[in-house]
Amino acid sequence: MKFIFATLHVKNLEESIQFYENIVGMKLARRFPGGPHTEIAFMADGPAEIELICNTEAEPVVYGECPSLGLSVEDLDQAMEHMKEQGVEIVSGPFQPNPNTRFFFIHDPDGVNLEIIEKK
Protein backbone atom coordinates (compact mmCIF):
# COMPACT_ATOMS: atom_id res chain seq x y z
CA MET A 1 0.00 0.00 0.00
CA LYS A 2 1.02 3.58 -0.58
CA PHE A 3 -0.42 6.62 1.21
CA ILE A 4 -2.02 9.01 -1.32
CA PHE A 5 -4.31 11.45 0.53
CA ALA A 6 -5.95 12.55 3.78
CA THR A 7 -9.45 14.02 3.93
CA LEU A 8 -10.41 17.13 5.90
CA HIS A 9 -13.93 18.49 6.20
CA VAL A 10 -13.80 22.29 6.07
CA LYS A 11 -16.30 25.06 6.72
CA ASN A 12 -15.05 27.45 4.01
CA LEU A 13 -13.42 25.92 0.92
CA GLU A 14 -12.03 29.21 -0.42
CA GLU A 15 -10.38 30.04 2.91
CA SER A 16 -8.87 26.57 3.19
CA ILE A 17 -7.54 26.59 -0.38
CA GLN A 18 -5.93 30.00 0.19
CA PHE A 19 -4.37 28.79 3.46
CA TYR A 20 -2.89 25.63 1.95
CA GLU A 21 -1.63 27.58 -1.09
CA ASN A 22 -0.28 30.74 0.57
CA ILE A 23 0.80 29.49 3.99
CA VAL A 24 1.71 25.86 3.39
CA GLY A 25 2.82 26.16 -0.25
CA MET A 26 0.66 23.42 -1.75
CA LYS A 27 -1.00 23.68 -5.16
CA LEU A 28 -4.65 23.22 -6.07
CA ALA A 29 -4.60 19.98 -8.10
CA ARG A 30 -8.31 19.74 -8.90
CA ARG A 31 -11.68 21.01 -7.74
CA PHE A 32 -15.15 19.68 -8.50
CA PRO A 33 -18.74 19.36 -7.23
CA GLY A 34 -19.25 16.47 -4.82
CA GLY A 35 -23.03 16.37 -4.66
CA PRO A 36 -25.74 18.65 -3.33
CA HIS A 37 -24.22 21.49 -1.27
CA THR A 38 -20.77 19.87 -1.51
CA GLU A 39 -17.55 20.85 -3.23
CA ILE A 40 -14.22 19.02 -3.14
CA ALA A 41 -10.70 20.29 -3.72
CA PHE A 42 -7.42 18.38 -3.70
CA MET A 43 -4.29 20.21 -2.58
CA ALA A 44 -1.06 18.59 -3.81
CA ASP A 45 2.56 18.51 -2.76
CA GLY A 46 4.25 15.74 -4.65
CA PRO A 47 2.42 12.42 -4.66
CA ALA A 48 0.54 13.02 -1.37
CA GLU A 49 -2.58 15.19 -1.33
CA ILE A 50 -5.03 16.71 1.12
CA GLU A 51 -8.67 16.36 0.10
CA LEU A 52 -10.78 19.29 1.30
CA ILE A 53 -14.52 18.63 1.45
CA CYS A 54 -16.96 21.46 2.06
CA ASN A 55 -20.64 20.70 2.59
CA THR A 56 -22.47 23.95 3.28
CA GLU A 57 -25.36 22.03 4.93
CA ALA A 58 -23.20 19.99 7.34
CA GLU A 59 -22.32 20.85 10.93
CA PRO A 60 -18.69 22.01 11.26
CA VAL A 61 -16.23 19.31 12.34
CA VAL A 62 -14.40 19.94 15.62
CA TYR A 63 -10.92 18.48 15.26
CA GLY A 64 -9.47 19.23 18.70
CA GLU A 65 -6.15 17.49 19.36
CA CYS A 66 -6.46 15.02 16.46
CA PRO A 67 -5.61 14.56 13.68
CA SER A 68 -2.19 16.08 13.18
CA LEU A 69 -0.64 16.39 9.73
CA GLY A 70 3.15 16.63 9.34
CA LEU A 71 4.72 19.03 6.86
CA SER A 72 8.47 18.92 6.19
CA VAL A 73 10.59 22.07 5.80
CA GLU A 74 14.26 22.63 5.06
CA ASP A 75 14.70 25.45 7.63
CA LEU A 76 12.49 25.58 10.73
CA ASP A 77 13.56 29.10 11.72
CA GLN A 78 12.66 30.40 8.27
CA ALA A 79 9.30 28.58 8.43
CA MET A 80 8.55 30.17 11.82
CA GLU A 81 9.34 33.60 10.43
CA HIS A 82 7.07 32.94 7.44
CA MET A 83 4.21 32.02 9.79
CA LYS A 84 4.70 35.20 11.82
CA GLU A 85 4.79 37.33 8.65
CA GLN A 86 1.53 35.71 7.48
CA GLY A 87 -0.15 36.26 10.85
CA VAL A 88 -0.35 32.53 11.61
CA GLU A 89 -0.09 31.76 15.32
CA ILE A 90 2.48 29.21 16.41
CA VAL A 91 0.37 27.28 18.92
CA SER A 92 3.25 25.29 20.45
CA GLY A 93 6.97 24.81 20.07
CA PRO A 94 9.53 24.83 18.78
CA PHE A 95 10.52 21.46 20.22
CA GLN A 96 13.73 19.49 19.70
CA PRO A 97 13.30 15.90 20.89
CA ASN A 98 16.70 14.88 19.47
CA PRO A 99 19.66 16.54 17.71
CA ASN A 100 18.22 15.82 14.23
CA THR A 101 14.57 16.86 14.64
CA ARG A 102 12.87 20.18 15.42
CA PHE A 103 9.20 21.08 15.03
CA PHE A 104 6.36 23.42 15.94
CA PHE A 105 2.57 23.38 15.56
CA ILE A 106 0.09 25.70 13.86
CA HIS A 107 -3.63 25.31 13.11
CA ASP A 108 -5.32 25.49 9.73
CA PRO A 109 -8.55 27.56 9.42
CA ASP A 110 -10.60 24.64 10.80
CA GLY A 111 -8.35 23.92 13.76
CA VAL A 112 -6.45 20.96 12.30
CA ASN A 113 -3.03 20.60 13.94
CA LEU A 114 -0.20 20.98 11.45
CA GLU A 115 3.23 19.90 12.62
CA ILE A 116 5.94 21.81 10.77
CA ILE A 117 9.07 19.66 11.04
CA GLU A 118 12.73 19.95 10.11
CA LYS A 119 14.79 16.76 9.95
CA LYS A 120 18.53 16.84 9.38
Side-chain angles (χ1 to χ4, degrees), residues 9-38:
H9 292 267
V10 302
K11 63 183 178 285
N12 182 316
L13 191 61
E14 293 301 328
E15 181 181 30
S16 293
I17 289 171
Q18 290 303 311
F19 178 87
Y20 282 97
E21 283 184 329
N22 299 329
I23 305 301
V24 176
M26 299 180 89
K27 302 289 184 218
L28 178 63
R30 58 198 174 283
R31 182 177 181 168
F32 51 89
H37 314 288
T38 303

PDB file of all heavy atoms in Angstrom, residues 9-38:
ATOM      1  N   HIS A   9     -12.660  17.803   6.432  1.00  0.00           N
ATOM      2  CA  HIS A   9     -13.928  18.494   6.201  1.00  0.00           C
ATOM      3  C   HIS A   9     -13.749  19.931   6.673  1.00  0.00           C
ATOM      4  O   HIS A   9     -13.318  20.166   7.806  1.00  0.00           O
ATOM      5  CB  HIS A   9     -15.062  17.787   6.944  1.00  0.00           C
ATOM      6  CG  HIS A   9     -15.352  16.451   6.363  1.00  0.00           C
ATOM      7  ND1 HIS A   9     -16.314  16.258   5.401  1.00  0.00           N
ATOM      8  CD2 HIS A   9     -14.774  15.239   6.570  1.00  0.00           C
ATOM      9  CE1 HIS A   9     -16.326  14.986   5.053  1.00  0.00           C
ATOM     10  NE2 HIS A   9     -15.407  14.347   5.743  1.00  0.00           N
ATOM     11  N   VAL A  10     -14.051  20.881   5.787  1.00  0.00           N
ATOM     12  CA  VAL A  10     -13.796  22.295   6.067  1.00  0.00           C
ATOM     13  C   VAL A  10     -15.089  23.096   6.001  1.00  0.00           C
ATOM     14  O   VAL A  10     -16.041  22.713   5.326  1.00  0.00           O
ATOM     15  CB  VAL A  10     -12.747  22.869   5.092  1.00  0.00           C
ATOM     16  CG1 VAL A  10     -11.433  22.087   5.187  1.00  0.00           C
ATOM     17  CG2 VAL A  10     -13.238  22.874   3.655  1.00  0.00           C
ATOM     18  N   LYS A  11     -15.097  24.227   6.707  1.00  0.00           N
ATOM     19  CA  LYS A  11     -16.295  25.065   6.721  1.00  0.00           C
ATOM     20  C   LYS A  11     -16.317  26.052   5.558  1.00  0.00           C
ATOM     21  O   LYS A  11     -17.369  26.466   5.115  1.00  0.00           O
ATOM     22  CB  LYS A  11     -16.437  25.781   8.065  1.00  0.00           C
ATOM     23  CG  LYS A  11     -15.333  26.749   8.390  1.00  0.00           C
ATOM     24  CD  LYS A  11     -15.521  27.366   9.781  1.00  0.00           C
ATOM     25  CE  LYS A  11     -14.423  28.295  10.144  1.00  0.00           C
ATOM     26  NZ  LYS A  11     -13.159  27.694  10.509  1.00  0.00           N
ATOM     27  N   ASN A  12     -15.142  26.459   5.073  1.00  0.00           N
ATOM     28  CA  ASN A  12     -15.051  27.448   4.007  1.00  0.00           C
ATOM     29  C   ASN A  12     -13.969  26.995   3.030  1.00  0.00           C
ATOM     30  O   ASN A  12     -12.772  27.104   3.326  1.00  0.00           O
ATOM     31  CB  ASN A  12     -14.723  28.820   4.600  1.00  0.00           C
ATOM     32  CG  ASN A  12     -14.668  29.914   3.557  1.00  0.00           C
ATOM     33  OD1 ASN A  12     -14.098  29.744   2.478  1.00  0.00           O
ATOM     34  ND2 ASN A  12     -15.244  31.051   3.875  1.00  0.00           N
ATOM     35  N   LEU A  13     -14.373  26.487   1.871  1.00  0.00           N
ATOM     36  CA  LEU A  13     -13.419  25.920   0.921  1.00  0.00           C
ATOM     37  C   LEU A  13     -12.438  26.958   0.406  1.00  0.00           C
ATOM     38  O   LEU A  13     -11.240  26.693   0.315  1.00  0.00           O
ATOM     39  CB  LEU A  13     -14.154  25.241  -0.239  1.00  0.00           C
ATOM     40  CG  LEU A  13     -13.290  24.398  -1.159  1.00  0.00           C
ATOM     41  CD1 LEU A  13     -12.619  23.254  -0.401  1.00  0.00           C
ATOM     42  CD2 LEU A  13     -14.105  23.856  -2.314  1.00  0.00           C
ATOM     43  N   GLU A  14     -12.924  28.157   0.095  1.00  0.00           N
ATOM     44  CA  GLU A  14     -12.027  29.208  -0.419  1.00  0.00           C
ATOM     45  C   GLU A  14     -10.942  29.548   0.599  1.00  0.00           C
ATOM     46  O   GLU A  14      -9.765  29.665   0.252  1.00  0.00           O
ATOM     47  CB  GLU A  14     -12.816  30.472  -0.770  1.00  0.00           C
ATOM     48  CG  GLU A  14     -13.760  30.311  -1.930  1.00  0.00           C
ATOM     49  CD  GLU A  14     -13.077  29.904  -3.228  1.00  0.00           C
ATOM     50  OE1 GLU A  14     -11.913  30.290  -3.462  1.00  0.00           O
ATOM     51  OE2 GLU A  14     -13.703  29.173  -4.001  1.00  0.00           O
ATOM     52  N   GLU A  15     -11.333  29.714   1.856  1.00  0.00           N
ATOM     53  CA  GLU A  15     -10.378  30.045   2.913  1.00  0.00           C
ATOM     54  C   GLU A  15      -9.342  28.931   3.080  1.00  0.00           C
ATOM     55  O   GLU A  15      -8.148  29.205   3.220  1.00  0.00           O
ATOM     56  CB  GLU A  15     -11.129  30.276   4.223  1.00  0.00           C
ATOM     57  CG  GLU A  15     -10.240  30.660   5.386  1.00  0.00           C
ATOM     58  CD  GLU A  15     -11.019  30.851   6.673  1.00  0.00           C
ATOM     59  OE1 GLU A  15     -12.068  30.198   6.877  1.00  0.00           O
ATOM     60  OE2 GLU A  15     -10.564  31.669   7.496  1.00  0.00           O
ATOM     61  N   SER A  16      -9.793  27.695   3.036  1.00  0.00           N
ATOM     62  CA  SER A  16      -8.868  26.571   3.192  1.00  0.00           C
ATOM     63  C   SER A  16      -7.910  26.453   2.005  1.00  0.00           C
ATOM     64  O   SER A  16      -6.719  26.212   2.186  1.00  0.00           O
ATOM     65  CB  SER A  16      -9.642  25.269   3.383  1.00  0.00           C
ATOM     66  OG  SER A  16     -10.322  25.294   4.618  1.00  0.00           O
ATOM     67  N   ILE A  17      -8.414  26.628   0.795  1.00  0.00           N
ATOM     68  CA  ILE A  17      -7.541  26.593  -0.385  1.00  0.00           C
ATOM     69  C   ILE A  17      -6.484  27.685  -0.282  1.00  0.00           C
ATOM     70  O   ILE A  17      -5.294  27.431  -0.504  1.00  0.00           O
ATOM     71  CB  ILE A  17      -8.356  26.736  -1.689  1.00  0.00           C
ATOM     72  CG1 ILE A  17      -9.175  25.468  -1.942  1.00  0.00           C
ATOM     73  CG2 ILE A  17      -7.439  27.033  -2.882  1.00  0.00           C
ATOM     74  CD1 ILE A  17     -10.185  25.587  -3.077  1.00  0.00           C
ATOM     75  N   GLN A  18      -6.890  28.894   0.065  1.00  0.00           N
ATOM     76  CA  GLN A  18      -5.934  30.003   0.193  1.00  0.00           C
ATOM     77  C   GLN A  18      -4.884  29.696   1.263  1.00  0.00           C
ATOM     78  O   GLN A  18      -3.697  29.972   1.069  1.00  0.00           O
ATOM     79  CB  GLN A  18      -6.663  31.308   0.518  1.00  0.00           C
ATOM     80  CG  GLN A  18      -7.492  31.836  -0.625  1.00  0.00           C
ATOM     81  CD  GLN A  18      -6.674  32.067  -1.883  1.00  0.00           C
ATOM     82  OE1 GLN A  18      -5.620  32.695  -1.856  1.00  0.00           O
ATOM     83  NE2 GLN A  18      -7.141  31.531  -2.993  1.00  0.00           N
ATOM     84  N   PHE A  19      -5.302  29.141   2.398  1.00  0.00           N
ATOM     85  CA  PHE A  19      -4.369  28.791   3.465  1.00  0.00           C
ATOM     86  C   PHE A  19      -3.343  27.774   2.972  1.00  0.00           C
ATOM     87  O   PHE A  19      -2.132  27.956   3.139  1.00  0.00           O
ATOM     88  CB  PHE A  19      -5.119  28.241   4.679  1.00  0.00           C
ATOM     89  CG  PHE A  19      -4.209  27.812   5.795  1.00  0.00           C
ATOM     90  CD1 PHE A  19      -3.784  28.721   6.747  1.00  0.00           C
ATOM     91  CD2 PHE A  19      -3.775  26.495   5.889  1.00  0.00           C
ATOM     92  CE1 PHE A  19      -2.932  28.335   7.763  1.00  0.00           C
ATOM     93  CE2 PHE A  19      -2.928  26.099   6.910  1.00  0.00           C
ATOM     94  CZ  PHE A  19      -2.506  27.020   7.854  1.00  0.00           C
ATOM     95  N   TYR A  20      -3.818  26.681   2.381  1.00  0.00           N
ATOM     96  CA  TYR A  20      -2.895  25.634   1.954  1.00  0.00           C
ATOM     97  C   TYR A  20      -2.014  26.076   0.787  1.00  0.00           C
ATOM     98  O   TYR A  20      -0.891  25.593   0.646  1.00  0.00           O
ATOM     99  CB  TYR A  20      -3.648  24.326   1.664  1.00  0.00           C
ATOM    100  CG  TYR A  20      -3.998  23.617   2.953  1.00  0.00           C
ATOM    101  CD1 TYR A  20      -5.258  23.759   3.522  1.00  0.00           C
ATOM    102  CD2 TYR A  20      -3.060  22.857   3.624  1.00  0.00           C
ATOM    103  CE1 TYR A  20      -5.569  23.145   4.730  1.00  0.00           C
ATOM    104  CE2 TYR A  20      -3.359  22.235   4.824  1.00  0.00           C
ATOM    105  CZ  TYR A  20      -4.615  22.387   5.374  1.00  0.00           C
ATOM    106  OH  TYR A  20      -4.911  21.786   6.582  1.00  0.00           O
ATOM    107  N   GLU A  21      -2.474  27.025  -0.025  1.00  0.00           N
ATOM    108  CA  GLU A  21      -1.627  27.575  -1.088  1.00  0.00           C
ATOM    109  C   GLU A  21      -0.632  28.585  -0.536  1.00  0.00           C
ATOM    110  O   GLU A  21       0.575  28.466  -0.752  1.00  0.00           O
ATOM    111  CB  GLU A  21      -2.481  28.252  -2.169  1.00  0.00           C
ATOM    112  CG  GLU A  21      -3.158  27.291  -3.108  1.00  0.00           C
ATOM    113  CD  GLU A  21      -3.919  27.997  -4.225  1.00  0.00           C
ATOM    114  OE1 GLU A  21      -4.423  29.124  -4.022  1.00  0.00           O
ATOM    115  OE2 GLU A  21      -4.029  27.389  -5.305  1.00  0.00           O
ATOM    116  N   ASN A  22      -1.114  29.604   0.171  1.00  0.00           N
ATOM    117  CA  ASN A  22      -0.277  30.736   0.572  1.00  0.00           C
ATOM    118  C   ASN A  22       0.565  30.498   1.814  1.00  0.00           C
ATOM    119  O   ASN A  22       1.665  31.032   1.916  1.00  0.00           O
ATOM    120  CB  ASN A  22      -1.145  31.978   0.775  1.00  0.00           C
ATOM    121  CG  ASN A  22      -1.857  32.374  -0.495  1.00  0.00           C
ATOM    122  OD1 ASN A  22      -1.364  32.165  -1.595  1.00  0.00           O
ATOM    123  ND2 ASN A  22      -3.048  32.921  -0.354  1.00  0.00           N
ATOM    124  N   ILE A  23       0.070  29.734   2.753  1.00  0.00           N
ATOM    125  CA  ILE A  23       0.804  29.495   3.994  1.00  0.00           C
ATOM    126  C   ILE A  23       1.647  28.229   3.902  1.00  0.00           C
ATOM    127  O   ILE A  23       2.831  28.223   4.232  1.00  0.00           O
ATOM    128  CB  ILE A  23      -0.161  29.392   5.207  1.00  0.00           C
ATOM    129  CG1 ILE A  23      -1.055  30.635   5.311  1.00  0.00           C
ATOM    130  CG2 ILE A  23       0.605  29.132   6.499  1.00  0.00           C
ATOM    131  CD1 ILE A  23      -0.329  31.946   5.475  1.00  0.00           C
ATOM    132  N   VAL A  24       1.041  27.156   3.432  1.00  0.00           N
ATOM    133  CA  VAL A  24       1.714  25.864   3.390  1.00  0.00           C
ATOM    134  C   VAL A  24       2.524  25.670   2.107  1.00  0.00           C
ATOM    135  O   VAL A  24       3.542  24.990   2.104  1.00  0.00           O
ATOM    136  CB  VAL A  24       0.683  24.725   3.582  1.00  0.00           C
ATOM    137  CG1 VAL A  24       1.315  23.359   3.443  1.00  0.00           C
ATOM    138  CG2 VAL A  24       0.008  24.861   4.950  1.00  0.00           C
ATOM    139  N   GLY A  25       2.085  26.269   1.002  1.00  0.00           N
ATOM    140  CA  GLY A  25       2.821  26.158  -0.253  1.00  0.00           C
ATOM    141  C   GLY A  25       2.371  25.020  -1.146  1.00  0.00           C
ATOM    142  O   GLY A  25       3.079  24.638  -2.084  1.00  0.00           O
ATOM    143  N   MET A  26       1.188  24.474  -0.895  1.00  0.00           N
ATOM    144  CA  MET A  26       0.656  23.417  -1.754  1.00  0.00           C
ATOM    145  C   MET A  26      -0.043  24.039  -2.962  1.00  0.00           C
ATOM    146  O   MET A  26      -0.324  25.237  -2.971  1.00  0.00           O
ATOM    147  CB  MET A  26      -0.321  22.538  -0.965  1.00  0.00           C
ATOM    148  CG  MET A  26       0.317  21.841   0.225  1.00  0.00           C
ATOM    149  SD  MET A  26      -0.834  20.812   1.142  1.00  0.00           S
ATOM    150  CE  MET A  26      -0.627  19.278   0.241  1.00  0.00           C
ATOM    151  N   LYS A  27      -0.323  23.223  -3.943  1.00  0.00           N
ATOM    152  CA  LYS A  27      -1.000  23.680  -5.158  1.00  0.00           C
ATOM    153  C   LYS A  27      -2.364  23.021  -5.273  1.00  0.00           C
ATOM    154  O   LYS A  27      -2.534  21.852  -4.918  1.00  0.00           O
ATOM    155  CB  LYS A  27      -0.183  23.323  -6.402  1.00  0.00           C
ATOM    156  CG  LYS A  27       1.219  23.889  -6.408  1.00  0.00           C
ATOM    157  CD  LYS A  27       1.203  25.373  -6.603  1.00  0.00           C
ATOM    158  CE  LYS A  27       2.620  25.900  -6.700  1.00  0.00           C
ATOM    159  NZ  LYS A  27       2.800  27.169  -6.062  1.00  0.00           N
ATOM    160  N   LEU A  28      -3.330  23.769  -5.794  1.00  0.00           N
ATOM    161  CA  LEU A  28      -4.645  23.217  -6.071  1.00  0.00           C
ATOM    162  C   LEU A  28      -4.514  22.269  -7.265  1.00  0.00           C
ATOM    163  O   LEU A  28      -4.183  22.690  -8.370  1.00  0.00           O
ATOM    164  CB  LEU A  28      -5.651  24.330  -6.368  1.00  0.00           C
ATOM    165  CG  LEU A  28      -7.061  23.885  -6.732  1.00  0.00           C
ATOM    166  CD1 LEU A  28      -7.721  23.142  -5.575  1.00  0.00           C
ATOM    167  CD2 LEU A  28      -7.895  25.097  -7.125  1.00  0.00           C
ATOM    168  N   ALA A  29      -4.741  20.980  -7.040  1.00  0.00           N
ATOM    169  CA  ALA A  29      -4.600  19.976  -8.102  1.00  0.00           C
ATOM    170  C   ALA A  29      -5.881  19.838  -8.910  1.00  0.00           C
ATOM    171  O   ALA A  29      -5.843  19.729 -10.131  1.00  0.00           O
ATOM    172  CB  ALA A  29      -4.209  18.625  -7.502  1.00  0.00           C
ATOM    173  N   ARG A  30      -7.022  19.842  -8.216  1.00  0.00           N
ATOM    174  CA  ARG A  30      -8.307  19.739  -8.898  1.00  0.00           C
ATOM    175  C   ARG A  30      -9.409  20.141  -7.924  1.00  0.00           C
ATOM    176  O   ARG A  30      -9.240  20.056  -6.718  1.00  0.00           O
ATOM    177  CB  ARG A  30      -8.544  18.344  -9.464  1.00  0.00           C
ATOM    178  CG  ARG A  30      -8.504  17.221  -8.474  1.00  0.00           C
ATOM    179  CD  ARG A  30      -8.301  15.876  -9.183  1.00  0.00           C
ATOM    180  NE  ARG A  30      -8.127  14.789  -8.253  1.00  0.00           N
ATOM    181  CZ  ARG A  30      -7.020  14.528  -7.571  1.00  0.00           C
ATOM    182  NH1 ARG A  30      -5.963  15.314  -7.708  1.00  0.00           N
ATOM    183  NH2 ARG A  30      -6.947  13.505  -6.744  1.00  0.00           N
ATOM    184  N   ARG A  31     -10.529  20.537  -8.522  1.00  0.00           N
ATOM    185  CA  ARG A  31     -11.678  21.011  -7.742  1.00  0.00           C
ATOM    186  C   ARG A  31     -12.937  20.654  -8.509  1.00  0.00           C
ATOM    187  O   ARG A  31     -12.986  20.856  -9.729  1.00  0.00           O
ATOM    188  CB  ARG A  31     -11.552  22.528  -7.574  1.00  0.00           C
ATOM    189  CG  ARG A  31     -12.627  23.163  -6.749  1.00  0.00           C
ATOM    190  CD  ARG A  31     -12.343  24.636  -6.599  1.00  0.00           C
ATOM    191  NE  ARG A  31     -13.368  25.264  -5.791  1.00  0.00           N
ATOM    192  CZ  ARG A  31     -13.272  26.484  -5.305  1.00  0.00           C
ATOM    193  NH1 ARG A  31     -12.203  27.216  -5.550  1.00  0.00           N
ATOM    194  NH2 ARG A  31     -14.243  26.972  -4.575  1.00  0.00           N
ATOM    195  N   PHE A  32     -13.955  20.132  -7.797  1.00  0.00           N
ATOM    196  CA  PHE A  32     -15.151  19.682  -8.501  1.00  0.00           C
ATOM    197  C   PHE A  32     -16.324  19.572  -7.532  1.00  0.00           C
ATOM    198  O   PHE A  32     -16.130  19.465  -6.321  1.00  0.00           O
ATOM    199  CB  PHE A  32     -14.893  18.339  -9.190  1.00  0.00           C
ATOM    200  CG  PHE A  32     -14.300  17.292  -8.279  1.00  0.00           C
ATOM    201  CD1 PHE A  32     -15.120  16.441  -7.540  1.00  0.00           C
ATOM    202  CD2 PHE A  32     -12.923  17.162  -8.157  1.00  0.00           C
ATOM    203  CE1 PHE A  32     -14.584  15.478  -6.708  1.00  0.00           C
ATOM    204  CE2 PHE A  32     -12.373  16.205  -7.317  1.00  0.00           C
ATOM    205  CZ  PHE A  32     -13.207  15.359  -6.596  1.00  0.00           C
ATOM    206  N   PRO A  33     -17.563  19.570  -8.077  1.00  0.00           N
ATOM    207  CA  PRO A  33     -18.743  19.358  -7.233  1.00  0.00           C
ATOM    208  C   PRO A  33     -18.725  17.930  -6.679  1.00  0.00           C
ATOM    209  O   PRO A  33     -18.296  16.997  -7.352  1.00  0.00           O
ATOM    210  CB  PRO A  33     -19.926  19.537  -8.178  1.00  0.00           C
ATOM    211  CG  PRO A  33     -19.380  20.149  -9.421  1.00  0.00           C
ATOM    212  CD  PRO A  33     -17.918  19.833  -9.471  1.00  0.00           C
ATOM    213  N   GLY A  34     -19.218  17.790  -5.448  1.00  0.00           N
ATOM    214  CA  GLY A  34     -19.247  16.473  -4.820  1.00  0.00           C
ATOM    215  C   GLY A  34     -20.640  16.038  -4.434  1.00  0.00           C
ATOM    216  O   GLY A  34     -20.804  15.165  -3.603  1.00  0.00           O
ATOM    217  N   GLY A  35     -21.645  16.683  -5.004  1.00  0.00           N
ATOM    218  CA  GLY A  35     -23.026  16.368  -4.662  1.00  0.00           C
ATOM    219  C   GLY A  35     -23.739  17.627  -4.205  1.00  0.00           C
ATOM    220  O   GLY A  35     -23.171  18.717  -4.221  1.00  0.00           O
ATOM    221  N   PRO A  36     -24.985  17.479  -3.777  1.00  0.00           N
ATOM    222  CA  PRO A  36     -25.738  18.654  -3.331  1.00  0.00           C
ATOM    223  C   PRO A  36     -25.027  19.366  -2.172  1.00  0.00           C
ATOM    224  O   PRO A  36     -24.626  18.718  -1.208  1.00  0.00           O
ATOM    225  CB  PRO A  36     -27.074  18.061  -2.862  1.00  0.00           C
ATOM    226  CG  PRO A  36     -27.169  16.727  -3.505  1.00  0.00           C
ATOM    227  CD  PRO A  36     -25.761  16.250  -3.688  1.00  0.00           C
ATOM    228  N   HIS A  37     -24.823  20.650  -2.310  1.00  0.00           N
ATOM    229  CA  HIS A  37     -24.224  21.494  -1.269  1.00  0.00           C
ATOM    230  C   HIS A  37     -22.776  21.138  -0.960  1.00  0.00           C
ATOM    231  O   HIS A  37     -22.261  21.556   0.078  1.00  0.00           O
ATOM    232  CB  HIS A  37     -25.050  21.436   0.021  1.00  0.00           C
ATOM    233  CG  HIS A  37     -26.514  21.583  -0.173  1.00  0.00           C
ATOM    234  ND1 HIS A  37     -27.096  22.779  -0.514  1.00  0.00           N
ATOM    235  CD2 HIS A  37     -27.519  20.680  -0.089  1.00  0.00           C
ATOM    236  CE1 HIS A  37     -28.397  22.611  -0.631  1.00  0.00           C
ATOM    237  NE2 HIS A  37     -28.683  21.346  -0.392  1.00  0.00           N
ATOM    238  N   THR A  38     -22.127  20.347  -1.805  1.00  0.00           N
ATOM    239  CA  THR A  38     -20.774  19.866  -1.511  1.00  0.00           C
ATOM    240  C   THR A  38     -19.820  20.180  -2.653  1.00  0.00           C
ATOM    241  O   THR A  38     -20.151  20.000  -3.820  1.00  0.00           O
ATOM    242  CB  THR A  38     -20.781  18.348  -1.247  1.00  0.00           C
ATOM    243  OG1 THR A  38     -21.685  18.071  -0.178  1.00  0.00           O
ATOM    244  CG2 THR A  38     -19.407  17.836  -0.878  1.00  0.00           C
TER     245      THR A  38
END
